[in-house]
Amino acid sequence: MLNYESDYATNLFAGYTDADYAAKNPPIHLIPNTYQVLLNSGITNGYGFRQQ
């Protein structure tokens, strides 16, 4: 991680401040997926996806 510190700071932890770290607020990462990927992933959460 230390070898790629600038990449982590600008891409992965962008907008995550030292104050957030001190307050123990976890970083939130959103990874968009297409509807087809979600259908084929086996998600069964009751929000429009198939149920078990």
Side-chain angles (χ1 to χ4, degrees):
M1 232 172 121
L2 292 176
N3 292 337
Y4 302 101
E5 184 177 355
S6 63
D7 290 336
Y8 280 100
T10 57
N11 297 328
L12 187 61
F13 295 115
Y16 190 70
T17 64
D18 290 338
D20 290 326
Y21 180 79
K24 298 183 179 181
N25 294 330
I28 298 172
H29 303 288
L30 300 176
I31 302 171
N33 289 299
T34 64
Y35 181 72
Q36 193 63 38
V37 169
L38 295 174
L39 278 178
N40 295 331
S41 67
I43 293 175
T44 58
N45 62 5
Y47 293 100
F49 299 105
R50 63 177 171 234
Q51 299 300 304
Q52 290 182 355

